[in-house]
Amino acid sequence: MIYPDLVVNLSATFKTADGLPLVYADVRIRPAGNNASAHGYTDSLGQVSGPVPANKDLLLELMSPCNTVMYSKNIGSFSANASLGTITVNNNPSLVTVKGRLLNCSGAPVTKGFATINYGNVIRHVSVENNGEFTSTFYSCAGMPSVCEIYGTDVSASQQGTTAVVTVTSPTTDIGNLTACGTSSLQFINYNINGTNYSVSSLVAGDNVTGMYSDSLTSQSVYISGYHANTSAISFEFNAVSTVSGNPVKYLSLQQFGYATTLLPPFNVTLTNNAETTGQFYEGIFAGQFKDQSGATHEINCSFRVRRQ
């Protein structure tokens, strides 16, 4: 929501009464008596920040996934950027803590890695402590699923484990030991444009690779993007079908050409591996021609391995 008035930036950290970060909580801030709100989601440390209207009395609210107000507080007005510090939220039956410990292929604790929790189609990445333990606390509600999907990743060894389905119980769901071993966690997008090679890889610090699945009434789509150190970025979306070949590309965006391209059909993705669930990998290739904004024609070929989020 964009306000016409002057805005300032507010930040805050949300924790439970036990001192645990409140993860991926929907934070809404609105002028008192006004339904229009600015909102954001806390990160894995319970932190959130963003613009709000200046010089107006504001109401802060924490919302459950079922759009119920779980916590509210009048926070006053602000004429400059400010931090609300740490806000402690009282424990209640809607708070769920999922915890466990990641083990590597040798059975020792993972010291550099994370657990990925998919609950209610919301992905939460939770870093481990030095002893391999991880903890994530978030809101649930009556309309949420009874189970979550969770898998572990050992960043140091580029390994991840299989996805476990765990029953979610309040206040604490302790899954015990979770093995981060058995599947390579390597992600990459390697592509060539007019004979020049580009690469995005999870092995390179600062590179970012994302794979998302979308299901609508009319189609299923896969969106993949990659970003490399201010020098190159690529994103593309294709129709996901049951076969591994002939998946039409809907669009292709490339930093080198101002992100806008016009595809020249045929332009299809061939999947060598399809990710059926969260944590599995899309693996495939595509090749074709496209035009940039000036109308010039270029050739591209690409191979990728990207985890479904």
Side-chain angles (χ1 to χ4, degrees):
M1 181 72 181
I2 299 177
Y3 294 89
D5 310 284
L6 177 68
V7 298
V8 296
N9 190 80
L10 280 189
S11 62
T13 299
F14 292 87
K15 292 188 176 182
T16 69
D18 299 322
L20 299 174
L22 190 57
V23 179
Y24 209 80
D26 184 0
V27 181
R28 301 185 185 182
I29 296 178
R30 59 185 175 88
N34 190 331
N35 289 327
S37 63
H39 73 97
Y41 293 89
T42 58
D43 61 15
S44 62
L45 300 177
Q47 301 172 341
V48 67
S49 65
V52 299
N55 304 314
K56 292 182 180 293
D57 288 330
L58 301 174
L59 176 66
L60 180 151
E61 297 173 316
L62 284 181
M63 311 300 295
S64 78
C66 299
N67 208 35
T68 303
V69 177
M70 307 304 298
Y71 173 90
S72 65
K73 180 180 182 180
N74 291 304
I75 57 175
S77 64
F78 301 87
S79 59
N81 297 342
S83 171
L84 301 177
T86 297
I87 297 176
T88 300
V89 179
N90 291 332
N91 291 334
N92 65 63
S94 295
L95 279 176
V96 175
T97 296
V98 176
K99 67 178 184 178
R101 185 173 67 154
L102 288 191
L103 302 180
N104 61 24
C105 293
S106 300
V110 172
T111 58
K112 183 180 180 182
F114 56 91
T116 299
I117 303 171
N118 180 5
Y119 182 58
N121 290 323
V122 175
I123 303 297
R124 299 168 175 87
H125 300 292
V126 191
S127 297
V128 299
E129 304 293 339
N130 290 334
N131 60 1
E133 294 182 352
F134 64 88
T135 303
S136 180
T137 300
F138 47 85
Y139 280 119
S140 182
C141 59
M144 297 295 287
S146 60
V147 298
C148 70
E149 297 177 338
I150 182 169
Y151 65 89
T153 300
D154 182 352
V155 174
S156 299
S158 294
Q159 286 282 308
Q160 73 177 52
T162 56
T163 300
V165 179
V166 178
T167 299
V168 177
T169 57
S170 177
T172 302
T173 302
D174 189 346
I175 70 168
N177 292 333
L178 184 68
T179 302
C181 180
T183 301
S184 170
S185 62
L186 174 64
Q187 299 184 83
F188 63 83
I189 306 174
N190 297 326
Y191 57 107
N192 181 291
I193 302 176
N194 302 329
T196 301
N197 292 321
Y198 302 90
S199 180
V200 185
S201 172
S202 59
L203 295 178
V204 178
D207 280 16
N208 183 59
V209 184
T210 302
M212 303 291 291
Y213 174 80
S214 174
D215 190 357
S216 69
L217 292 176
T218 57
S219 66
Q220 294 79 42
S221 297
V222 177
Y223 172 81
I224 289 176
S225 65
Y227 173 83
H228 173 72
N230 290 321
T231 61
S232 60
I234 180 174
S235 61
F236 53 94
E237 182 179 359
F238 57 90
N239 288 334
V241 295
S242 58
T243 58
V244 295
S245 62
N247 301 286
V249 176
K250 294 182 176 181
Y251 80 86
L252 170 68
S253 176
L254 297 161
Q255 178 180 339
Q256 294 90 334
F257 299 96
Y259 296 102
T261 65
T262 301
L263 303 182
L264 302 179
F267 208 113
N268 299 319
V269 165
T270 297
L271 286 175
T272 55
N273 189 71
N274 191 22
E276 299 289 346
T277 62
T278 301
Q280 295 182 347
F281 291 84
Y282 296 108
E283 299 178 64
I285 58 174
F286 67 80
Q289 294 183 322
F290 65 90
K291 289 186 177 182
D292 62 22
Q293 297 179 69
S294 71
T297 299
H298 307 273
E299 292 190 358
I300 182 173
N301 59 74
C302 175
S303 63
F304 57 89
R305 184 177 194 266
V306 179
R307 182 190 294 118
R308 173 173 167 174
Q309 298 293 340

